[in-house]
Amino acid sequence: LPKEVSEGIYLLESDTGELLATRNLVPGQRVYGERLVQEGFELRVWDPYRSKLAAAIRKGLKTIPIKPGSVVLYLGAAAGTTVSHVSDIVGKEGVVYAVEFAARSMRELITSCESRKNVIPVLADARQPLGYRDIVDSVDVVYEDVAQPDQAKILIDNSRIYLRPGGYAMIAVKSRSVDVAAEPETVFAQEKKTLEEGNMKVVEEVELSPFEKDHKLMVAAIQRTP
Ligand SMILES: C[S@@+](CC[C@H](N)C(=O)[O-])C[C@H]1O[C@@H](n2cnc3c(N)ncnc32)[C@H](O)[C@@H]1O
């Protein structure tokens, strides 16, 4: 059996080295041309060059709150590459609310995730979190990958409304989206400070090279007010 790095996330040995994979929720179906591997059950290979969450896990991320049964609010779903793996991990008992504001990406997301019953596409602006209050309830995880200068504020605002006590927020920080000219380390420190001022404590951060340049994935929890 393949090694399980976290519930629902596997590491496979291959000729080219180790491969990350998730158990395919819809056996036989590919989402973006990824490899399918049979190991008693079907696994979909998860490319760290195409998914920042996969990159972070390959780089040793320890806090992985996305598990079978989790309810995830995913901001910046794009065409659904990472969303589809999150859908695999949370499985039939879980839900992924996939928020995306670009109509074209949303169309691709709807097509690619059509047979994934646990993915709820939400065409909305993550800067206006009350816009999906009727659809989204309290969640275990807020995951954000919007690549926008105000990404930290978007995470704080969404977490305040939707994140359950004890839940986690995860953010892919692309330093160049915040400030093209600044040193990435300066940007990361500034983003962390913004999150902490928004009452979110960064509990883990991993740098994503060589999979992504000048990126970090940060995991935060809401600070308890004394
Ligand atoms: C870097 S891509 C996301 C890639 C995706 N997370 C993946 O791993 O497959 C960023 C996406 O965020 C979307 N986005 C940016 N700002 C947004 C906002 N305010 N609300 C909703 N979506 C937004 C963009 O349209 C784009 O599709």
Side-chain angles (χ1 to χ4, degrees), residues 5-6 56-57 59-65 67 170 204-206 219:
V5 282
S6 172
I57 296 169
K59 289 296 300 282
L61 181 74
K62 287 192 246 354
T63 320
I64 308 177
K67 296 179 188 305
M170 308 176 88
E204 194 178 348
E205 48 191 305
V206 276
V219 184

PDB file of all heavy atoms in Angstrom, residues 5-6 56-57 59-65 67 170 204-206 219:
ATOM      1  N   VAL A   5       0.757  10.291   3.863  1.00  0.00           N
ATOM      2  CA  VAL A   5       1.463  11.365   4.566  1.00  0.00           C
ATOM      3  C   VAL A   5       0.547  12.132   5.508  1.00  0.00           C
ATOM      4  O   VAL A   5       0.983  12.696   6.510  1.00  0.00           O
ATOM      5  CB  VAL A   5       2.155  12.381   3.616  1.00  0.00           C
ATOM      6  CG1 VAL A   5       3.435  11.823   3.065  1.00  0.00           C
ATOM      7  CG2 VAL A   5       1.260  12.830   2.478  1.00  0.00           C
ATOM      8  N   SER A   6      -0.738  12.165   5.163  1.00  0.00           N
ATOM      9  CA  SER A   6      -1.759  12.755   6.013  1.00  0.00           C
ATOM     10  C   SER A   6      -3.020  12.038   5.544  1.00  0.00           C
ATOM     11  O   SER A   6      -3.028  11.498   4.439  1.00  0.00           O
ATOM     12  CB  SER A   6      -1.832  14.261   5.746  1.00  0.00           C
ATOM     13  OG  SER A   6      -2.928  14.840   6.412  1.00  0.00           O
ATOM     14  N   ALA A  56       3.598  22.727  -0.895  1.00  0.00           N
ATOM     15  CA  ALA A  56       3.817  22.903   0.550  1.00  0.00           C
ATOM     16  C   ALA A  56       3.930  21.544   1.249  1.00  0.00           C
ATOM     17  O   ALA A  56       4.772  21.355   2.130  1.00  0.00           O
ATOM     18  CB  ALA A  56       2.678  23.721   1.151  1.00  0.00           C
ATOM     19  N   ILE A  57       3.112  20.592   0.841  1.00  0.00           N
ATOM     20  CA  ILE A  57       3.158  19.256   1.462  1.00  0.00           C
ATOM     21  C   ILE A  57       4.488  18.586   1.120  1.00  0.00           C
ATOM     22  O   ILE A  57       5.145  18.001   1.976  1.00  0.00           O
ATOM     23  CB  ILE A  57       1.926  18.415   1.060  1.00  0.00           C
ATOM     24  CG1 ILE A  57       0.646  19.082   1.598  1.00  0.00           C
ATOM     25  CG2 ILE A  57       2.050  16.976   1.581  1.00  0.00           C
ATOM     26  CD1 ILE A  57      -0.662  18.515   1.068  1.00  0.00           C
ATOM     27  N   LYS A  59       7.169  20.094   0.600  1.00  0.00           N
ATOM     28  CA  LYS A  59       8.200  20.808   1.348  1.00  0.00           C
ATOM     29  C   LYS A  59       8.096  20.559   2.858  1.00  0.00           C
ATOM     30  O   LYS A  59       8.742  21.219   3.657  1.00  0.00           O
ATOM     31  CB  LYS A  59       8.129  22.312   1.055  1.00  0.00           C
ATOM     32  CG  LYS A  59       8.576  22.705  -0.331  1.00  0.00           C
ATOM     33  CD  LYS A  59      10.038  22.434  -0.671  1.00  0.00           C
ATOM     34  CE  LYS A  59      11.074  23.120   0.172  1.00  0.00           C
ATOM     35  NZ  LYS A  59      11.304  24.533  -0.141  1.00  0.00           N
ATOM     36  N   GLY A  60       7.234  19.625   3.250  1.00  0.00           N
ATOM     37  CA  GLY A  60       7.213  19.182   4.645  1.00  0.00           C
ATOM     38  C   GLY A  60       6.176  19.833   5.541  1.00  0.00           C
ATOM     39  O   GLY A  60       6.277  19.753   6.766  1.00  0.00           O
ATOM     40  N   LEU A  61       5.156  20.485   4.955  1.00  0.00           N
ATOM     41  CA  LEU A  61       4.097  21.095   5.776  1.00  0.00           C
ATOM     42  C   LEU A  61       3.544  20.071   6.769  1.00  0.00           C
ATOM     43  O   LEU A  61       3.187  18.956   6.388  1.00  0.00           O
ATOM     44  CB  LEU A  61       2.971  21.586   4.853  1.00  0.00           C
ATOM     45  CG  LEU A  61       1.785  22.276   5.535  1.00  0.00           C
ATOM     46  CD1 LEU A  61       2.174  23.677   6.008  1.00  0.00           C
ATOM     47  CD2 LEU A  61       0.588  22.374   4.594  1.00  0.00           C
ATOM     48  N   LYS A  62       3.488  20.461   8.038  1.00  0.00           N
ATOM     49  CA  LYS A  62       3.019  19.520   9.062  1.00  0.00           C
ATOM     50  C   LYS A  62       1.547  19.749   9.414  1.00  0.00           C
ATOM     51  O   LYS A  62       0.824  18.814   9.721  1.00  0.00           O
ATOM     52  CB  LYS A  62       3.869  19.682  10.332  1.00  0.00           C
ATOM     53  CG  LYS A  62       5.272  19.096  10.155  1.00  0.00           C
ATOM     54  CD  LYS A  62       5.970  19.003  11.484  1.00  0.00           C
ATOM     55  CE  LYS A  62       7.176  19.870  11.696  1.00  0.00           C
ATOM     56  NZ  LYS A  62       7.777  20.686  10.710  1.00  0.00           N
ATOM     57  N   THR A  63       1.117  21.011   9.388  1.00  0.00           N
ATOM     58  CA  THR A  63      -0.273  21.323   9.736  1.00  0.00           C
ATOM     59  C   THR A  63      -1.125  21.163   8.486  1.00  0.00           C
ATOM     60  O   THR A  63      -1.147  22.039   7.622  1.00  0.00           O
ATOM     61  CB  THR A  63      -0.375  22.777  10.257  1.00  0.00           C
ATOM     62  OG1 THR A  63       0.753  23.043  11.077  1.00  0.00           O
ATOM     63  CG2 THR A  63      -1.664  22.997  11.026  1.00  0.00           C
ATOM     64  N   ILE A  64      -1.794  20.013   8.382  1.00  0.00           N
ATOM     65  CA  ILE A  64      -2.653  19.770   7.214  1.00  0.00           C
ATOM     66  C   ILE A  64      -4.080  19.536   7.732  1.00  0.00           C
ATOM     67  O   ILE A  64      -4.482  18.399   7.969  1.00  0.00           O
ATOM     68  CB  ILE A  64      -2.138  18.581   6.370  1.00  0.00           C
ATOM     69  CG1 ILE A  64      -0.639  18.784   6.031  1.00  0.00           C
ATOM     70  CG2 ILE A  64      -2.966  18.414   5.080  1.00  0.00           C
ATOM     71  CD1 ILE A  64       0.011  17.654   5.259  1.00  0.00           C
ATOM     72  N   PRO A  65      -4.817  20.637   7.928  1.00  0.00           N
ATOM     73  CA  PRO A  65      -6.150  20.504   8.521  1.00  0.00           C
ATOM     74  C   PRO A  65      -7.216  20.015   7.545  1.00  0.00           C
ATOM     75  O   PRO A  65      -8.344  19.759   7.944  1.00  0.00           O
ATOM     76  CB  PRO A  65      -6.444  21.917   9.017  1.00  0.00           C
ATOM     77  CG  PRO A  65      -5.638  22.814   8.134  1.00  0.00           C
ATOM     78  CD  PRO A  65      -4.423  22.047   7.721  1.00  0.00           C
ATOM     79  N   LYS A  67      -8.912  17.298   5.806  1.00  0.00           N
ATOM     80  CA  LYS A  67      -8.981  15.852   6.064  1.00  0.00           C
ATOM     81  C   LYS A  67     -10.323  15.307   5.571  1.00  0.00           C
ATOM     82  O   LYS A  67     -11.218  16.090   5.288  1.00  0.00           O
ATOM     83  CB  LYS A  67      -8.925  15.610   7.583  1.00  0.00           C
ATOM     84  CG  LYS A  67      -7.623  16.032   8.226  1.00  0.00           C
ATOM     85  CD  LYS A  67      -7.701  15.757   9.734  1.00  0.00           C
ATOM     86  CE  LYS A  67      -6.508  16.325  10.464  1.00  0.00           C
ATOM     87  NZ  LYS A  67      -5.216  15.875   9.953  1.00  0.00           N
ATOM     88  N   MET A 170      -5.466  28.979   5.559  1.00  0.00           N
ATOM     89  CA  MET A 170      -4.221  28.714   4.831  1.00  0.00           C
ATOM     90  C   MET A 170      -4.135  29.705   3.685  1.00  0.00           C
ATOM     91  O   MET A 170      -5.132  29.941   2.993  1.00  0.00           O
ATOM     92  CB  MET A 170      -4.230  27.292   4.258  1.00  0.00           C
ATOM     93  CG  MET A 170      -4.558  26.243   5.306  1.00  0.00           C
ATOM     94  SD  MET A 170      -4.676  24.593   4.586  1.00  0.00           S
ATOM     95  CE  MET A 170      -2.964  24.067   4.690  1.00  0.00           C
ATOM     96  N   GLU A 204       2.386  28.010  11.117  1.00  0.00           N
ATOM     97  CA  GLU A 204       3.406  27.336  10.316  1.00  0.00           C
ATOM     98  C   GLU A 204       3.543  28.057   8.980  1.00  0.00           C
ATOM     99  O   GLU A 204       2.567  28.583   8.450  1.00  0.00           O
ATOM    100  CB  GLU A 204       3.029  25.867  10.065  1.00  0.00           C
ATOM    101  CG  GLU A 204       4.208  25.066   9.535  1.00  0.00           C
ATOM    102  CD  GLU A 204       3.912  23.589   9.298  1.00  0.00           C
ATOM    103  OE1 GLU A 204       2.862  23.084   9.732  1.00  0.00           O
ATOM    104  OE2 GLU A 204       4.762  22.955   8.653  1.00  0.00           O
ATOM    105  N   GLU A 205       4.759  28.075   8.452  1.00  0.00           N
ATOM    106  CA  GLU A 205       4.959  28.654   7.117  1.00  0.00           C
ATOM    107  C   GLU A 205       6.034  27.857   6.396  1.00  0.00           C
ATOM    108  O   GLU A 205       7.033  27.483   6.994  1.00  0.00           O
ATOM    109  CB  GLU A 205       5.307  30.143   7.192  1.00  0.00           C
ATOM    110  CG  GLU A 205       6.383  30.512   8.172  1.00  0.00           C
ATOM    111  CD  GLU A 205       6.497  32.023   8.386  1.00  0.00           C
ATOM    112  OE1 GLU A 205       6.666  32.748   7.400  1.00  0.00           O
ATOM    113  OE2 GLU A 205       6.430  32.452   9.542  1.00  0.00           O
ATOM    114  N   VAL A 206       5.787  27.570   5.124  1.00  0.00           N
ATOM    115  CA  VAL A 206       6.797  26.872   4.322  1.00  0.00           C
ATOM    116  C   VAL A 206       7.014  27.599   3.013  1.00  0.00           C
ATOM    117  O   VAL A 206       6.073  28.094   2.387  1.00  0.00           O
ATOM    118  CB  VAL A 206       6.433  25.392   4.004  1.00  0.00           C
ATOM    119  CG1 VAL A 206       6.811  24.454   5.109  1.00  0.00           C
ATOM    120  CG2 VAL A 206       5.010  25.222   3.627  1.00  0.00           C
ATOM    121  N   VAL A 219       0.012  28.932   7.401  1.00  0.00           N
ATOM    122  CA  VAL A 219      -1.166  28.376   8.062  1.00  0.00           C
ATOM    123  C   VAL A 219      -1.402  29.205   9.323  1.00  0.00           C
ATOM    124  O   VAL A 219      -0.463  29.428  10.097  1.00  0.00           O
ATOM    125  CB  VAL A 219      -0.963  26.894   8.445  1.00  0.00           C
ATOM    126  CG1 VAL A 219      -2.247  26.315   9.031  1.00  0.00           C
ATOM    127  CG2 VAL A 219      -0.513  26.080   7.241  1.00  0.00           C
TER     128      VAL A 219
END
